[in-house]
Amino acid sequence: FVSARKLQTDYQGTPVIDCLGQAGSVPMGQCTLPIDQDLCTGDKSNCGGCFNQDEDESCFDSNNGACTLEGSENDQGSLNFAVFGVCLNPSNPKDGHCLWSRSECPSTHIWATPNDWLQNTHDIEDYCTCDKVLVGACRYGDNYECAVSADACDEDGQYIGAK
């Protein structure tokens, strides 16, 4: 694993620098129920409408082509960008952390989907966007690679969660 910062500083002028340019085009999922208003995100636990569904995947399309990690303008002229849920400590609700999915949030904390906080958050700087998501890691012996979920680790890796 090489961090984005290391790519920028040590690998200028090499083919590997292309990784940075392509990061924004990573496809994301999209919430599909009307209550979620076509929200772009990486995991169905960020879709408020999915909580009213049983194991039905119809509330989330994991790769529909409409959403990418980095913001893009859609046909109607509005901006599509991925947002994520926030894990709140009930004893200190202002001490929240943006996480990839609800599974990263301890059971003693409260999970708030983007629908829960988007209506009351007017400054885009306060949104849980990809740059604010705490990530875990895959451990391979003494080596670690950043990972958003256990699904990112291969069979030899041990996932260490963000929280």
Side-chain angles (χ1 to χ4, degrees):
F1 173 76
V2 177
S3 70
R5 173 178 264 172
K6 187 98 169 141
L7 282 174
Q8 288 176 326
T9 58
D10 295 356
Y11 293 89
Q12 287 295 328
T14 68
V16 76
I17 200 70
D18 290 339
C19 292
L20 277 181
Q22 296 172 9
S25 63
V26 171
M28 298 297 290
Q30 188 171 36
C31 303
T32 58
L33 296 178
I35 189 172
D36 292 311
Q37 301 174 349
D38 297 327
L39 183 84
C40 296
T41 190
D43 188 81
K44 79 178 211 170
S45 66
N46 294 311
C47 305
C50 289
F51 289 110
N52 298 325
Q53 303 286 313
D54 291 324
E55 294 298 313
D56 181 11
E57 293 291 323
S58 67
C59 62
F60 179 71
D61 184 353
S62 63
N63 186 7
N64 69 357
C67 298
T68 56
L69 190 58
E70 198 171 81
S72 61
E73 192 172 331
N74 65 21
D75 294 338
Q76 292 79 32
S78 61
L79 193 63
N80 282 345
F81 57 94
V83 289
F84 301 87
V86 63
C87 183
L88 302 167
N89 181 341
S91 61
N92 185 7
K94 292 187 182 221
D95 183 27
H97 300 285
C98 301
L99 297 174
W100 179 263
S101 71
R102 185 180 193 173
S103 65
E104 293 288 317
C105 187
S107 60
T108 56
H109 287 49
I110 298 166
W111 180 250
T113 67
N115 280 351
D116 295 332
W117 56 260
L118 270 173
Q119 292 178 350
N120 298 321
T121 307
H122 304 291
D123 187 351
I124 195 167
E125 293 299 319
D126 295 330
Y127 287 9
C128 276
T129 50
C130 65
D131 56 316
K132 296 182 182 110
V133 171
L134 298 181
V135 297
C138 297
R139 180 179 178 187
Y140 301 100
D142 293 333
N143 298 313
Y144 297 85
E145 294 183 18
C146 294
V148 295
S149 72
D151 295 335
C153 301
D154 62 30
E155 60 190 37
D156 296 331
Q158 173 193 6
Y159 182 66
I160 300 166
K163 294 285 301 165

